[in-house]
Amino acid sequence: MSERARRLSARAVIGLLGEEFDQLPEGGDREHIPGAPFPDGPFPDGPLSWPGYDALRARAAERTGEDESVVCGVVRVGGAPAVVIAFEFDFLGGSLGQRTGDRLESAYTHARAHRLPVVALVATGGSRMQEGMVALTQLQRVARQSALTRAAGLPQLAVLRDPTTGGGWATLGAGADVILALPGAQVGFAGSRVRPADADPAAYTAEAQVAAGAVDAVVSADALRETVGRWLRLLGAPSAEAVPPPAPLGLTEPPATGWDAVLRARDPQRPRAHRYLDAYFAHRVAVSGDRCGGVDADGMLCGFGESRHDGRTVAFAAQTGTAARPAGYRTAARLIRLADRLGIPVLTLVDTPGAANDAEAEREGVGAAIAEVFEAVASARTPITTLVIGEGGSGGALALAAPGNTWATPDSYFSVIAPELAAAILKRARGEVRSTADQLLIRPQDLARLGLVRTDGADGGGRRP
């Protein structure tokens, strides 16, 4: 994207986002009127009496046509209303000051009062130097308003423009539920003038933040309206009912032996998560990254989609048949917690030989990451449906399984541990692996008899074992 496109004004980028825009009325008492000239307030030249600050603001207003660094209102995105917060970077670098905080608080309050999602179009250099700590503490106000909006069960989206740095990134940006970014946007806590001299500029880009698990996706300006509109429609459709599991896409007859179940699950031609998700959803969008520096795009697929079954929004966390990494588990936990807060049912697909157990996985905290998923599933109020579609290897698989609502396909198995490893732990000869698999009772029909999974049809209407 060109520099010119990334530096669109606040109102121009609002125009890219939605069809209609109604600016919010000013609010608050006289000392805290958003955008009011400082001579009308309690201090000349701001709270620090910074020489020339009023004149600086006046020049910024004349240049931009705005009286503050943010423009707030209600916009319709694909027909769905949302409160929009758009930063005007040409107004003092989109910096946050006291009256910016006033305006942001008013916008969040309006969102909660009218049950609307919040979309932040961020372009800021950080807190305003001319207001010192008064400006910096506005981040606490923003964080408080964001937390109240989160507790109200309303989604928050951020679109990162160029640049998104400092406290604006650490609150409105990184604190959002879903984070999108324009191509090539500068994104990072440290702005260009305060980084180490030898810092790699490529690390402070939208693309680098996606790779680090801090941003969900890069979206072009041309696709912004469609993408944000789809997110708003999906996240704004709660449902109290559990969803049915996907229909099995592979074999339909149960395996004859435990080892047969293992071979079926390990067959490279067996349907994997992508096929199940394609069949289950009319369309879907992905969340990516654990917000802790990691991404496991190969091992865990997470996001929201529209069910072909009944058009409902469903959140999904799907293993892909590999040894899932810590970042994948953290992303799944993040997905489940978000769905729970928004009242959206969850579908999980279990398919892993087990969690990654290499030294790097241990350094990345694989045990703690799996614990996060167990906790998210155990504490979720929204209904969770699980389908085992392949290998169910130990705790790394069980973490995603919904107690009492886990189903299994005929080409899957679920085991306390892989039969080969069980035989090794029991000090059995290699030739006893197959008989060990039978003893473990890992076939779907065995698990159903034990009351651990459901195999009675794919429409969700059968009886539990």
Side-chain angles (χ1 to χ4, degrees):
M1 173 174 291
S2 69
E3 185 74 10
R4 181 173 178 273
R6 282 190 273 126
R7 288 287 174 86
L8 287 172
S9 70
R11 293 182 190 271
V13 77
I14 291 172
L16 287 178
L17 185 67
E19 306 91 351
E20 304 172 19
F21 174 65
D22 296 315
Q23 189 165 344
L24 292 180
E26 308 294 359
D29 59 39
R30 183 166 178 75
E31 293 188 356
H32 299 286
I33 298 175
F38 272 107
D40 292 341
F43 306 106
D45 283 325
L48 304 187
S49 297
W50 189 284
Y53 183 32
D54 286 341
L56 188 65
R57 281 172 47 90
R59 288 195 297 272
E62 183 178 2
R63 183 173 58 253
T64 63
E66 305 296 347
D67 56 6
E68 247 307 333
S69 59
V70 291
V71 176
C72 303
V74 176
V75 66
R76 300 191 73 83
V77 188
V83 167
V84 64
I85 296 168
F87 280 74
E88 177 54 70
F89 187 78
D90 283 343
F91 191 103
L92 303 183
S95 56
L96 282 79
Q98 180 177 341
R99 283 170 175 75
T100 321
D102 292 338
R103 189 165 289 186
L104 295 172
E105 182 171 317
S106 178
Y108 278 106
T109 301
H110 185 89
R112 292 194 299 276
H114 296 273
R115 302 296 301 168
L116 295 176
V118 176
V119 180
L121 308 173
V122 189
T124 173
S127 299
R128 197 167 294 171
M129 301 298 99
Q130 295 87 347
E131 296 187 33
M133 280 299 296
V134 174
L136 188 65
T137 56
Q138 301 309 305
L139 303 180
Q140 295 172 318
R141 294 179 71 186
V142 174
R144 169 68 173 164
Q145 293 303 313
S146 178
L148 291 172
T149 304
R150 185 174 294 110
L154 298 170
Q156 300 176 64
L157 279 70
V159 178
L160 312 182
R161 298 149 58 207
D162 185 54
T164 297
T165 61
W169 165 228
T171 51
L172 289 132
D177 300 318
V178 177
I179 307 172
L180 309 174
L182 296 181
Q186 178 187 179
V187 180
F189 186 64
S192 59
R193 298 185 182 181
V194 298
R195 298 171 193 157
D198 59 350
D200 179 8
Y204 300 85
T205 63
E207 290 76 8
Q209 296 290 355
V210 171
V215 170
D216 290 296
V218 171
V219 180
S220 70
D222 292 341
L224 195 59
R225 181 179 299 188
E226 178 184 356
T227 302
V228 172
R230 177 168 292 182
W231 271 112
L232 293 178
R233 288 191 297 275
L234 287 171
L235 297 186
S239 173
E241 300 297 324
V243 297
L249 298 179
L251 299 173
T252 57
E253 295 298 320
T257 68
W259 188 244
D260 286 338
V262 172
L263 294 179
R264 287 183 176 196
R266 293 177 181 174
D267 184 346
Q269 303 304 314
R270 172 183 54 79
R272 305 290 167 134
H274 281 287
R275 281 186 58 187
Y276 275 94
L277 295 176
D278 287 344
Y280 197 81
F281 293 108
H283 61 81
R284 63 184 190 272
V285 290
V287 300
S288 175
D290 62 1
R291 301 296 186 261
C292 301
V295 174
D296 185 19
D298 295 329
M300 190 81 72
L301 306 176
C302 295
F304 294 82
E306 179 185 311
S307 168
R308 295 183 189 274
H309 178 73
D310 53 14
R312 281 191 290 166
T313 296
V314 181
F316 62 87
Q319 294 171 324
T320 64
T322 67
R325 308 293 305 178
Y329 287 110
R330 292 193 179 97
T331 304
R334 171 191 156 215
L335 180 282
I336 294 168
R337 288 193 292 262
L338 175 58
D340 186 47
R341 179 157 47 82
L342 299 179
I344 295 172
V346 178
L347 170 69
T348 62
L349 301 181
V350 169
D351 186 8
T352 180
N357 58 8
D358 53 86
E360 186 63 25
E362 293 297 341
R363 284 191 289 267
E364 293 171 354
V366 64
I370 294 173
E372 279 194 53
V373 181
F374 271 118
E375 190 276 336
V377 171
S379 60
R381 296 159 297 178
T382 198
I384 301 176
T385 300
T386 299
L387 180 66
V388 186
I389 63 172
E391 292 194 81
S394 195
L398 186 67
L400 278 180
N405 198 28
T406 291
W407 306 69
T409 66
D411 43 10
S412 70
Y413 78 87
F414 218 143
S415 179
V416 62
I417 196 169
E420 299 93 332
L421 298 178
I425 291 171
L426 296 172
K427 298 181 179 180
R428 293 181 174 181
R430 180 172 297 182
E432 297 182 73
V433 169
R434 296 189 178 192
S435 60
T436 301
D438 288 333
Q439 282 186 282
L440 288 170
L441 297 182
I442 60 178
R443 299 177 303 168
Q445 61 265 42
D446 298 325
L447 298 168
R449 283 195 294 271
L450 291 171
L452 302 176
V453 303
R454 302 172 64 174
T455 59
D456 46 333
D459 61 355
R463 294 178 301 168
R464 301 188 184 194

